[in-house]
Amino acid sequence: MKMVTLLSGNDMPIIGLGTFKLRGRDLIHKCLQTALEAGYRSFDTAAVYKNESDIGDCLIELLPKYGLTRNDIFLTSKLAPKDQGANRCREACLTSLTNLKTEYLDLYLIHWPGTQGRKPGDQDNPRLRRDSWRDMETLYKEGKLKAIGVSNFEQRHLIDLLESCEIQPHVLQTEHHPHLVQSSLVEFCRHHQIHFQAYASLGTTTDNNKLLTDPTVISIAKNNSKTTAQILLKWAIQQDIGVIPKSSNPDHIKSNMDLFSFELSKEDLARISGLDSQHHYCWDPRGIL
């Protein structure tokens, strides 16, 4: 497993298992077991996924079976938009720790730059996320969070945060794939030593898997004797961008980890990047003040 050393000093696997829409203890147990067997050591969840408690239970049961302890895995969760703001953020984070049955999180993210119940242009949005960040800085100093970051932030949101924070964000997790290449945001993060982690690397089923069925991606996959999913994920990690693919299919979970046995050529990387259409398949934060 390739590791990324965050500005906080801790190491983060470049590949993690996403758990969005994974619900129910039996399904989560099966997915986590398959992932651990395949070599995953990073797991990404969020309060809004409503699966933290089941993930916590399953990890407590499964880790000893593979000779692992809590310290051997990297666990990420996120602040729900409804819990944005001073003290609310702290309470929400402590609830996530309780649900996940852990004394600390390896990474905690502000899930969204806005606040639930407030309009995108609400003048309080910047203040509320700054208040959340101060809570997270305190939790980081207390050792309850090993690294802190944000999700779905645009560059202007990051600039606002960098101007007011004491501890800068260690990670930005956001939508990034060949149909939404965020080159300037990637470069901004690299300049500020913020690890860039992509979600929705494979697109979404609601958009009929347009990424997985893209003719260019299919052609490159055939030439490399790999799946289209492996090509899309490799495109990211070969650029040192983290990925957190989600799947409930055991075969897909395993194959999504098999990304270190091949390299894409410069020509293939360029062809894939050339598919950019600036299309969001998921949340679009552009309207959030």
Side-chain angles (χ1 to χ4, degrees):
M1 170 61 70
K2 180 178 179 179
M3 306 295 284
V4 175
T5 301
L6 303 179
L7 193 58
S8 58
N10 53 328
D11 291 333
M12 177 183 187
I14 199 166
I15 304 172
L17 181 73
T19 64
F20 177 52
K21 290 188 176 181
L22 294 183
R23 297 277 187 87
R25 193 181 187 284
D26 290 345
L27 176 61
I28 288 171
H29 188 279
K30 181 184 75 172
C31 291
L32 293 184
Q33 182 171 355
T34 302
L36 287 167
E37 289 176 352
Y40 288 81
R41 295 296 181 263
S42 178
F43 303 93
D44 179 277
T45 184
V48 297
Y49 298 172
K50 300 187 184 302
N51 60 13
E52 288 177 321
S53 185
D54 283 334
I55 288 173
D57 287 339
C58 291
L59 286 174
I60 285 174
E61 178 184 340
L62 288 168
L63 289 178
K65 293 184 178 180
Y66 297 95
L68 301 171
T69 67
R70 169 66 183 88
N71 291 338
D72 294 315
I73 64 168
F74 191 101
L75 196 55
T76 300
S77 194
K78 310 179 193 78
L79 175 73
K82 70 179 180 64
D83 294 319
Q84 196 86 268
N87 298 320
R88 291 179 62 88
C89 173
R90 180 180 180 87
E91 292 172 5
C93 180
L94 294 177
T95 298
S96 288
L97 289 170
T98 298
N99 289 339
L100 287 161
K101 287 83 178 174
T102 184
E103 295 181 355
Y104 67 92
L105 287 170
D106 298 280
L107 176 63
Y108 193 62
L109 306 173
I110 296 178
H111 205 158
W112 182 246
T115 302
Q116 185 174 315
R118 294 181 180 267
K119 293 182 179 179
D122 194 308
Q123 296 289 331
D124 279 338
N125 280 326
R127 174 184 63 80
L128 287 166
R129 61 179 178 260
R130 286 195 293 267
D131 288 345
S132 295
W133 192 257
R134 280 190 284 272
D135 274 4
M136 289 166 61
E137 288 177 328
T138 300
L139 289 159
Y140 175 78
K141 292 174 185 177
E142 293 172 354
K144 292 181 173 64
L145 305 176
K146 301 299 183 182
I148 51 180
V150 294
S151 182
N152 296 296
F153 276 40
E154 293 202 299
Q155 183 170 318
R156 58 192 173 85
H157 299 135
L158 287 170
I159 291 172
D160 178 69
L161 182 56
L162 288 168
E163 288 175 347
S164 62
C165 67
E166 178 184 350
I167 301 166
Q168 77 165 61
H170 303 126
V171 174
L172 168 66
Q173 182 188 109
T174 196
E175 183 178 359
H176 180 79
H177 46 69
H179 291 171
L180 182 65
V181 181
Q182 305 211 55
S183 299
S184 62
L185 187 55
V186 171
E187 289 307 313
F188 179 87
C189 287
R190 285 178 178 158
H191 177 74
H192 290 279
Q193 296 179 278
I194 301 169
H195 176 58
F196 191 97
Q197 185 183 57
Y199 74 77
S201 298
L202 309 180
T204 65
T205 54
T206 55
D207 281 276
N208 298 316
N209 293 316
K210 289 181 180 177
L211 276 167
L212 292 170
T213 57
D214 188 289
T216 298
V217 179
I218 290 174
S219 172
I220 293 171
K222 287 181 178 178
N223 291 340
N224 286 273
S225 300
K226 297 295 177 181
T227 68
T228 51
Q230 288 171 320
I231 296 301
L232 291 167
L233 296 170
K234 184 67 175 184
W235 171 80
I237 67 166
Q238 202 165 315
Q239 301 176 74
D240 296 321
I241 293 171
V243 292
I244 45 170
K246 185 272 294 184
S247 179
S248 59
N249 182 309
D251 291 335
H252 293 168
I253 291 172
K254 294 173 185 175
S255 65
N256 287 346
M257 175 58 85
D258 181 18
L259 302 177
F260 303 103
S261 61
F262 71 103
E263 291 285 313
L264 293 172
S265 67
K266 291 182 180 179
E267 292 75 17
D268 283 345
L269 289 171
R271 288 177 65 198
I272 296 168
S273 296
L275 299 173
D276 183 30
S277 60
Q278 289 298 295
H279 183 77
H280 285 263
Y281 289 118
C282 304
W283 293 355
D284 187 344
R286 285 177 291 186
I288 304 297
L289 184 66

